[in-house]
Amino acid sequence: WIGALFDVYIFFFGVLVVFLEWKKFPGRDKYNMVIHTYFHFLDYIWGRGVLYFVAGSLQFSLFGLLDLAVGGFMCFVGILYIIVGKIAHTKFVNAKEAMLSEHTIAAKFNEADVEDKGSINLEQFEIMTKSLGMELEKREVEIAFLEIPKVSDKEDRITLESFKNWWTKADTLDFV
């Protein structure tokens, strides 16, 4: 019975991981609000890291060769998410402490918005972070972008308002 219970948990966590990482998951819009209301910790990179680590340890505990490989990989990814999230958070807090004014942030955002849509995509966000003086690795930029609310689930873009809201709360989080 314990093995069957582990299988159910592993399946549930697997579906949840796919849901979180696959932007075009069927029915994503319908369940997104539920996930973010009842599992708020998944809004943060460290929360996803904890989920991946727990799912990996459950898989690892089944002790089959494939279970050990997949479980070990998921544990590794979970730990990596926690570490990279912490590093990215530290860099953003340091940048925020440099006292960038709202005017500067808005000007840099508008410079990055070369399409003049009032929103920017991941590549434009990376350009904006560099122009604000942040030295971030590619993955750290992706993690930060992932945390900021998007225009819609179908369009992977952020607005200046959503960036500013995220930016002002950045130092109140334990880490991204």
Side-chain angles (χ1 to χ4, degrees), residues 35-48:
I35 295 284
H36 296 293
T37 300
Y38 296 107
F39 303 102
H40 183 63
F41 69 97
L42 294 175
D43 288 341
Y44 305 105
I45 295 303
W46 64 264
R48 289 181 184 201

Side-chain angles (χ1 to χ4, degrees), residues 6 9-17 48-62 67 70-75 78:
F6 273 32
Y9 282 129
I10 291 167
F11 177 78
F12 172 74
F13 287 149
V15 169
L16 189 55
V17 166
R48 289 181 184 201
V50 169
L51 170 71
Y52 299 165
F53 184 81
V54 169
S57 18
L58 284 173
Q59 186 75 41
F60 193 85
S61 69
L62 295 178
D67 296 321
V70 172
F73 176 75
M74 285 300 289
C75 287

Side-chain angles (χ1 to χ4, degrees), residues 4-5 7 21 36 39 55 63 75 89 99-100 107 113 119 126 149 157 163 171 174:
L5 185 60
D7 288 341
E21 299 300 334
H36 296 293
F39 303 102
F63 295 116
C75 287
H89 173 74
M99 300 304 282
L100 296 171
D113 183 15
S119 61
E126 184 174 12
R157 300 179 69 84
F163 175 76
D171 62 349
D174 286 337

Side-chain angles (χ1 to χ4, degrees), residues 91-110:
K91 288 182 178 182
F92 274 100
V93 168
N94 291 341
K96 185 176 180 191
E97 287 174 358
M99 300 304 282
L100 296 171
S101 70
E102 277 194 40
H103 176 71
T104 302
I105 292 170
K108 297 295 184 182
F109 186 93
N110 291 331

